[in-house]
Amino acid sequence: MGDNAISREKRSLPPADYSLKIESFKLLSESTVESFESGVFKSGGYNWKLVFYPNGKKNDGGKDHLSLYLKIDDSNPHSDGTWNVNVYYKLFVYDQLSNQYLVVQDAKAPMRRFDRRKGEWGFGKFLDLATFNEPSNGYLVDESCVFGAEVYVVKPTGSEEILSLVSEPDDGTYRFTIPAFGSVGDTVQRSGEFTVGERNWQLVVYPAGSGADRGNYLTVSLKLADYQKVTPKKPVYAEFKFKIPNQYSRNRAGAEQTVKYFFNSAVEKESSKFLSRDDLYDTTKGYLPSNETLVVEVQFLVVSVIKANT
């Protein structure tokens, strides 16, 4: 692996999975053994080892370098010869003077597959020996050094969902009738919960308006009523129309406003300058007849549905 494919950075946090301290490094490097293996450590449900080449792994470009590798141990139970383990990993060397760790990882292909054919991944040019041996760098102090590893195993869970957008869903129109609306004052009116697209919703009416519309417009809002109740929480995309029909004649236009919104919390989606209070209380307009019964509707045009793929 070329050096340009390696990322190096320092951090103060020690490796999460394993540390290996080597004492009498000089004696180790002067021995006739090319590589040394650590003891077994566990991470992600598998057994691993560090493989250390004090004078570099020559056939992996390790001349004049330390070479360090992560190896999946033979003690792991594998059901057949086609096994593989996908891993994100980082290897470490400790700077004992600054109390920081040099973190080395693949820069271009951070996930590696361990299998029967290749059970070892790492870096021939983990760290050049001149840098490692320089006392002021802190990696080798009193002939001792510390290496480490973090291993994150990618395990498919089999969990899968299907997102569908349903146009004009069944029972997609809900009507909220408020009798004696002229007597409710500023009291917020809430409908019962109703179901569209397998989720529960609620209409909310602010007679005096809400936010920037307060005092001038009637505000209607739609709330995903079951957002806090569904586990895990699942957002919903919806396109819908707020409507206040003309109660004098179906042939006369009522008030309508189309809204598109992604419901990812329990926050209501409000109308904006939907129907002025002057027009609402003008009995000639037909929105609020003499019996003062207000009818508010919501018509779902599109709603998303998420289902588990079993």
Side-chain angles (χ1 to χ4, degrees):
M1 176 184 298
D3 195 54
N4 61 353
I6 298 175
S7 168
R8 293 181 175 89
E9 62 182 5
K10 283 195 172 184
R11 78 181 200 192
S12 58
L13 192 68
D17 293 311
Y18 182 69
S19 291
L20 170 67
K21 183 175 182 179
I22 298 176
E23 298 178 337
S24 303
F25 178 81
K26 183 178 180 180
L27 293 177
L28 187 67
S29 64
E30 292 176 349
S31 71
T32 58
V33 179
E34 181 185 14
S35 65
F36 296 85
E37 292 189 357
S38 74
V40 173
F41 65 94
K42 289 183 176 293
S43 181
Y46 292 90
N47 297 331
W48 306 90
K49 288 182 178 180
L50 283 181
V51 183
F52 173 65
Y53 293 76
N55 294 301
K57 187 177 182 181
K58 305 302 189 293
N59 62 0
D60 194 20
K63 183 181 178 181
D64 299 324
H65 284 75
L66 290 173
S67 300
L68 188 63
Y69 298 85
L70 177 67
K71 178 181 179 180
I72 191 165
D73 190 59
D74 294 336
S75 63
N76 288 290
H78 300 300
S79 58
D80 55 46
T82 62
W83 64 271
N84 62 78
V85 182
N86 296 306
V87 169
Y88 291 96
Y89 72 97
K90 298 177 181 179
L91 301 181
F92 297 74
V93 60
Y94 181 44
D95 178 349
Q96 301 173 62
L97 298 182
S98 68
N99 195 28
Q100 288 190 312
Y101 291 83
L102 179 67
V103 185
V104 181
Q105 60 184 323
D106 288 313
K108 295 184 178 179
M111 189 174 74
R112 294 297 187 181
R113 172 171 291 189
F114 291 76
D115 55 27
R116 179 175 54 83
R117 292 174 297 178
K118 188 168 180 60
E120 184 178 297
W121 285 96
F123 309 99
K125 294 183 177 180
F126 178 76
L127 187 65
D128 69 87
L129 286 170
T131 299
F132 177 77
N133 288 317
E134 171 56 47
S136 63
N137 290 327
Y139 299 121
L140 185 62
V141 176
D142 296 330
E143 293 300 321
S144 71
C145 53
V146 179
F147 299 94
E150 283 182 356
V151 183
Y152 176 75
V153 177
V154 180
K155 295 181 178 179
T157 63
S159 177
E160 183 180 352
E161 291 183 329
I162 298 175
L163 171 65
S164 302
L165 294 179
V166 180
S167 178
E168 298 182 356
D170 294 339
D171 301 320
T173 299
Y174 178 79
R175 171 173 285 203
F176 180 28
T177 301
I178 307 172
F181 183 79
S183 303
V184 302
D186 292 351
T187 304
V188 177
Q189 305 294 301
R190 300 181 183 275
S191 75
E193 293 187 12
F194 57 95
T195 302
V196 176
E198 302 181 354
R199 299 299 295 271
N200 292 343
W201 306 85
Q202 185 180 49
L203 272 177
V204 184
V205 177
Y206 295 84
S210 176
D213 288 356
R214 185 169 180 80
N216 297 309
Y217 293 87
L218 176 78
T219 299
V220 180
S221 73
L222 181 66
K223 179 179 180 180
L224 182 58
D226 64 4
Y227 183 80
Q228 299 291 357
K229 303 173 186 177
V230 173
T231 304
K233 293 180 174 60
K234 296 182 178 181
V236 179
Y237 172 77
E239 297 178 15
F240 51 93
K241 281 185 181 180
F242 290 127
K243 295 182 176 182
I244 296 182
N246 187 306
Q247 297 187 58
Y248 288 157
S249 172
R250 293 182 179 180
N251 295 324
R252 294 176 63 181
E256 292 187 358
Q257 187 170 98
T258 300
V259 181
K260 300 177 181 180
Y261 192 66
F262 185 69
F263 292 86
N264 60 354
S265 71
V267 175
E268 303 167 14
K269 178 54 182 175
E270 297 180 348
S271 61
S272 175
K273 297 182 179 180
F274 176 38
L275 179 63
S276 72
R277 286 165 54 84
D278 289 341
D279 285 346
L280 172 65
Y281 288 103
D282 184 344
T283 56
T284 66
K285 302 287 186 179
Y287 301 120
L288 192 64
S290 57
N291 65 5
E292 294 191 336
T293 296
L294 180 68
V295 176
V296 181
E297 296 179 349
V298 60
Q299 177 188 0
F300 283 81
L301 307 175
V302 175
V303 65
S304 68
V305 176
I306 298 177
K307 293 184 177 181
N309 185 12
T310 57

